[in-house]
Each structure stands twice: as structure tokens, then as C-alpha cells.
């Protein structure tokens, strides 16, 4: 399997079954704030496809503003 999105989705489906978390679709998203420091928070991962990763947030939240300034985002999964 050479497609990284397919590989992620396969692993993600396994993780959802085996996760000890109460909110099984929780992932940690890290962005860079206006001062250049990383900020991390947990969000609900809704969808993953060739267009990217979809998670819950508000565009005008700190996270949304940070992503607008710098779209390089890290996502960590349990």
C-alpha cells in the first residue's frame, strides 16, 4: 500500500477499536502561535481523505487563526 491516506485510514480504524480513550476519535493538533511557540489541544477527528484531515474547530478560535497564519500543523494519534 503506497497511499499514505489509505495506510492512515487502515491504522485509524484499528486504533478506534483498540483505543482506551473515552472519546475514541480524539487527536492532538499542534500549531504555532503568533509568538512562534507550539500550542497543542485535543480535537475530534471527523474525516480523512485525499483532501486532508477534517476536525472540529471554529475558524475564529485561536487554533483557527494559528492555522490561517501558518498551515503547517502536526496531528498526533493515540
Amino acid at each position: 500500500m503506497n497511499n499514505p491516506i489509505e495506510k492512515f485510514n487502515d491504522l485509524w480504524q484499528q486504533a478506534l477499536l483498540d483505543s482506551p480513550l473515552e472519546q475514541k476519535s480524539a487527536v492532538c493538533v499542534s500549531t504555532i502561535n503568533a509568538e512562534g511557540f507550539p500550542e497543542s489541544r485535543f480535537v475530534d477527528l471527523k474525516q480523512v481523505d485525499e483532501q486532508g484531515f477534517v476536525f472540529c474547530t471554529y475558524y475564529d478560535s485561536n487554533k483557527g487563526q494559528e492555522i490561517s497564519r501558518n498551515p503547517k500543523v502536526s496531528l498526533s494519534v493515540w
Side-chain angles (χ1 to χ4, degrees):
M1 178 180 315
N2 293 330
N3 183 320
I5 297 298
E6 286 180 29
K7 180 69 171 176
F8 177 87
N9 276 323
D10 285 347
L11 294 171
W12 182 241
Q13 292 309 309
Q14 287 177 337
L16 290 174
L17 294 174
D18 297 335
S19 176
L21 302 176
E22 188 171 318
Q23 179 63 33
K24 300 206 181 288
S25 58
V27 296
C28 183
V29 171
S30 299
T31 55
I32 302 299
N33 68 21
E35 291 78 34
F37 291 96
E39 290 195 5
S40 301
R41 73 284 284 154
F42 285 89
V43 297
D44 188 25
L45 183 63
K46 293 295 190 182
Q47 179 180 337
V48 179
D49 61 26
E50 298 300 326
Q51 299 297 313
F53 293 77
V54 177
F55 54 85
C56 293
T57 192
Y58 292 100
Y59 290 114
D60 60 349
S61 68
N62 286 343
K63 177 175 45 296
Q65 292 173 19
E66 290 166 1
I67 292 170
S68 291
R69 278 192 302 273
N70 183 349
K72 295 178 180 175
V73 175
S74 172
L75 181 120
S76 299
V77 180
W78 180 268

